[in-house]
């Protein structure tokens, strides 16, 4: 019991005090996570991102669909992108790049450019009205300034463009799952979960932030992941 407690404390201090080691460890963890993930989780993601293949380019004079994925991580969403599209990616953690490149090599049908190391809030290098689709998956839980992030998304999207998102949020069923809510709140308020998982907060209500961000229309469904 004591050794578990000491390992936990050391892990917590390590994650708080050494951000670059934490970033490196997180990139490795995410790569491991996706190597063991259940196929039902991929099927679940497909329900959300499956329609991206039907999107059409909207930029005047362009025949190529341009997609921006913010917080791309190891690059787990290539499988949802259509042949011949042009993918731009942004992520603040440079340790994801090698995992991303390894995944990218499996999808020669997708045109990519360099991995841009930046936060979504600071992606000024991506031009205004330059992409047809923006994708974020499991990112807004750890973004420092979601409002600024979403303003940047609105800026880079061409008029009529779409943001596809999948985010985990605070448990919403207070009647059935109030314990779970308390657990999520505690792990977040005590900074345990954010320290271990690169800033991730379990109790965000990201759908509310999205509703007030200034998009013409926001559609979402709350679902439990398999
Ligand atoms: C849980 S991982 C998800 C990675 C990938 N999107 C996926 O679905 O597998 C969270 C990702 O968000 C990135 N991230 C964290 N803060 C960010 C920010 N402010 N702007 C953009 N990306 C951010 C992390 O570096 C990490 O790649």
């Amino acid at each position: 019991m004591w050794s578990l407690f000491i390992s936990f404390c050391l892990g917590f201090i390590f994650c708080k005090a050494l951000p670059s080691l934490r970033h490196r460890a997180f990139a490795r963890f995410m790569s491991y996570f996706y190597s063991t993930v259940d196929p039902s989780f991929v099927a679940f993601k497909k329900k959300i991102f499956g329609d991206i293949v039907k999107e059409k380019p909207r930029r005047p004079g362009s025949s190529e669909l341009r997609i921006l994925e913010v917080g791309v991580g190891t690059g787990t969403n290539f499988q949802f992108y259509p042949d011949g599209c042009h993918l731009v990616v942004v992520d603040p953690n440079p340790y994801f790049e090698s995992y991303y490149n390894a995944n990218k090599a499996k999808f020669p049908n997708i045109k990519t450019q360099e991995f841009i190391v930046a936060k979504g809030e600071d992606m000024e290098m991506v031009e205004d009205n330059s992409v047809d689709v923006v994708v974020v998956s499991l990112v807004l839980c750890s973004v420092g300034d979601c409002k600024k992030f979403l303003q940047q998304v609105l800026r880079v999207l061409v008029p009529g463009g779409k943001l596809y998102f999948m985010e985990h949020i605070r448990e919403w069923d207070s009647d059935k799952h109030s314990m779970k809510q308390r657990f999520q709140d505690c792990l977040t308020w005590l900074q345990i979960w954010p320290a271990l998982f690169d800033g991730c907060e379990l109790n965000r209500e990201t759908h509310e932030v999205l509703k007030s961000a200034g998009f013409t229309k926001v559609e979402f469904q709350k679902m439990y992941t398999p």
Side-chain angles (χ1 to χ4, degrees):
M1 189 65 190
W2 273 107
S3 63
L4 194 69
F5 179 71
I6 290 167
S7 317
F8 175 77
C9 290
L10 286 176
F12 186 78
I13 292 164
F14 154 86
C15 290
K16 273 292 194 201
L18 300 165
S20 76
L21 272 181
R22 185 181 78 187
H23 280 150
R24 196 189 286 264
F26 186 62
R28 207 186 169 110
F29 166 75
M30 287 307 295
S31 170
Y32 171 74
F33 171 78
Y34 276 107
S35 70
T36 59
V37 81
D38 193 272
S40 60
F41 182 68
V42 180
F44 177 84
K45 261 189 158 183
K46 195 165 183 189
K47 279 192 207 154
I48 298 155
F49 296 136
D51 279 350
I52 297 176
V53 291
K54 298 185 200 152
E55 293 295 338
K56 296 279 174 271
R58 293 168 189 269
R59 288 157 302 115
S62 173
S63 55
E64 179 186 73
L65 186 74
R66 215 170 141 92
I67 301 174
L68 167 69
E69 184 169 345
V70 192
V72 68
T74 60
T76 55
N77 296 323
F78 280 108
Q79 59 193 305
F80 306 117
Y81 300 153
D83 284 350
C85 73
H86 186 124
L87 180 67
V88 182
V89 299
V90 170
D91 198 292
N93 182 345
Y95 298 107
F96 274 116
E97 189 170 357
S98 56
Y99 300 104
Y100 166 80
N101 284 337
N103 271 331
K104 180 176 91 167
K106 298 176 201 154
F107 293 86
N109 52 329
I110 295 171
K111 290 182 215 160
T112 50
Q113 55 186 63
E114 87 275 24
F115 183 101
I116 302 172
V117 179
K119 288 184 178 178
E121 299 95 304
D122 305 323
M123 55 177 179
E124 283 79 18
M125 61 298 278
V126 183
E127 284 175 28
D128 294 4
N129 304 325
S130 62
V131 295
D132 305 292
V133 171
V134 174
V135 175
V136 289
S137 86
L138 306 175
V139 173
L140 290 167
C141 54
S142 40
V143 164
D145 186 343
C146 285
K147 210 171 150 198
K148 192 170 171 202
F149 181 107
L150 293 170
Q151 276 164 2
Q152 288 287 320
V153 170
L154 282 164
R155 177 186 67 75
V156 300
L157 270 176
V158 72
K162 286 187 196 165
L163 165 67
Y164 279 77
F165 62 91
M166 179 183 96
E167 294 294 333
H168 65 82
I169 56 170
R170 183 174 188 259
E171 169 59 58
W172 59 88
D173 190 339
S174 311
D175 295 334
K176 282 196 196 141
H177 299 297
S178 62
M179 271 306 284
K180 199 193 217 178
Q181 289 178 330
R182 273 184 229 134
F183 201 54
Q184 291 174 329
D185 289 341
C186 279
L187 285 174
T188 305
W189 289 334
L190 295 172
Q191 288 294 305
I192 295 170
W193 195 268
L196 295 174
F197 295 99
D198 203 24
C200 170
E201 296 191 343
L202 289 171
N203 60 353
R204 290 200 180 179
E205 304 211 315
T206 303
H207 50 301
E208 297 300 336
V209 185
L210 280 154
K211 281 202 284 191
S212 58
F215 290 94
T216 320
K217 190 171 155 195
V218 178
E219 285 175 28
F220 64 86
Q221 233 184 308
K222 292 178 187 172
M223 297 182 272
Y224 290 101
T225 49

